[in-house]
Amino acid sequence: MQAIIMAAGMGSRLGEVTNGLPKSFLVVRGRKLIEYNIDMLKQYGINDIVIVIGYMCDMFEKLIDKKRGIKLVFNPFYETTNVIPSFWFGQQKLKDDFIYINADTICDPSIFEELLAAEGDIVLAVDFKECDEEAMKVRIKDREIVEINKTMKPDTADGESIGILKVSKRCLFNLKNITNNMMKEKKFSCFFPAAIQEIIDRQLHKVTFIQTKGRFWCEIDCLEDYIRAEENISENLIKLPRRFKRK
């Protein structure tokens, strides 16, 4: 199994909290967000990791220097594009089942473990709760996800996709074709779930889910998210073995 981490963005909404560093370098309880995700992947035996970088790429190059199995892919258009172009650059390295992670998201390892064990073509981790306008909202029908986007009305959503999902190798051909076409159509401002929605609409693969069930997860977009992560991060995540030397 492989993994791809989206880490090209600037994280401008966090302002002075990041002190000019990439958002995934934000430190929560002594560890960078990017380190939490790499440590969790490696804890579960996923060593073939692709990280798509952009903003302050040299910081990633220094951090990942000589780390076996980790490949860095640069998106030179990170300042003017969203996630789909970053994924398109990284998808060239994907050849197997893979985990997709937004680099600003961390979760309790038990959520990740359940996601790995779940069967299905595409499996999302979903928090069933009331959603706000900014959430990547999902709608469920007959145990499958039938809609995923930020634009649906919150009162019609069943929950929020946390930005961590699993994709089967058998979906790769169709997924790559979809993202190739999105790039040809210059859909540079799209989030990755736009590709998932096209898979749903074309009935190419089933998209299912696991539930977070109140377990810790956090997408850090603003100061309030950072404070919540600092205060509520799970002990299981903190106790993950470190793969990076402290500096």
Side-chain angles (χ1 to χ4, degrees):
M1 178 171 280
Q2 297 177 276
I4 186 167
I5 303 176
M6 299 292 102
M10 299 173 64
S12 55
R13 281 193 285 173
L14 280 161
E16 294 182 359
V17 179
T18 55
N19 196 28
L21 295 175
K23 182 162 64 165
S24 59
F25 274 59
L26 192 66
V27 174
V28 176
R29 299 284 290 273
R31 202 179 319 195
K32 298 177 180 70
L33 298 180
I34 190 70
E35 291 175 342
Y36 275 117
N37 280 319
I38 292 173
D39 289 346
M40 186 165 66
L41 288 166
K42 288 185 171 290
Q43 178 69 10
Y44 289 93
I46 302 173
N47 297 302
D48 187 347
I49 302 169
V50 178
I51 306 177
V52 183
I53 59 176
Y55 179 62
M56 297 197 73
C57 58
D58 56 317
M59 300 293 295
F60 290 92
E61 291 165 357
K62 183 178 179 181
L63 178 72
I64 304 302
D65 183 42
K66 298 179 181 178
K67 298 292 189 300
R68 184 176 298 176
I70 301 179
K71 307 176 186 70
L72 298 178
V73 176
F74 181 62
N75 172 9
F77 310 111
Y78 69 90
E79 291 180 290
T80 57
T81 62
N82 209 320
V83 183
I84 280 294
S86 285
F87 181 80
W88 181 81
F89 278 105
Q91 75 178 13
Q92 321 303 325
K93 303 289 186 182
L94 297 175
K95 300 177 181 178
D96 202 350
D97 299 351
F98 70 91
I99 297 292
Y100 172 100
I101 300 178
N102 289 324
D104 59 359
T105 300
I106 51 177
C107 74
D108 187 279
S110 64
I111 296 175
F112 189 75
E113 186 171 346
E114 186 174 342
L115 183 68
L116 286 178
E119 296 183 358
D121 295 336
I122 300 174
V123 187
L124 280 61
V126 174
D127 188 352
F128 284 78
K129 64 172 187 176
E130 292 185 8
C131 298
D132 58 28
E133 294 288 346
E134 281 296 307
M136 184 58 70
K137 297 174 282 293
V138 302
R139 191 163 59 84
I140 309 296
K141 183 179 180 181
D142 298 329
R143 295 291 302 170
E144 293 182 24
I145 293 174
V146 294
E147 187 176 2
I148 177 168
N149 56 57
K150 285 192 172 188
T151 57
M152 77 174 77
K153 294 180 179 179
D155 60 0
T156 67
D158 293 303
E160 178 178 3
S161 170
I162 74 169
I164 301 176
L165 56 103
K166 182 175 70 171
V167 179
S168 168
K169 178 182 179 179
R170 57 183 171 269
C171 303
L172 267 178
F173 178 80
N174 288 325
L175 179 59
K176 288 181 177 182
N177 278 344
I178 286 170
T179 53
N180 285 340
N181 288 333
M182 292 176 79
M183 291 293 288
K184 291 175 183 177
E185 294 165 6
K186 299 184 179 181
K187 294 181 178 180
F188 303 145
S189 62
C190 287
F191 293 95
F192 181 67
I196 301 298
Q197 186 64 58
E198 186 160 344
I199 284 174
I200 294 169
D201 293 342
R202 293 169 58 184
Q203 299 182 334
L204 298 174
H205 304 282
K206 290 185 178 180
V207 181
T208 55
F209 60 90
I210 63 154
Q211 300 183 42
T212 59
K213 300 175 184 176
R215 291 169 289 185
F216 170 80
W217 74 274
C218 191
E219 177 187 14
I220 302 178
D221 278 329
C222 60
L223 177 59
E224 290 76 12
D225 295 334
Y226 175 66
I227 293 171
R228 183 164 63 88
E230 278 277 334
E231 292 178 347
N232 299 308
I233 188 170
S234 71
E235 288 298 317
N236 291 332
L237 197 52
I238 293 172
K239 291 177 181 177
L240 281 175
R242 291 175 178 266
R243 266 69 181 189
F244 296 85
K245 295 181 180 179
R246 297 186 183 186
K247 296 182 180 180

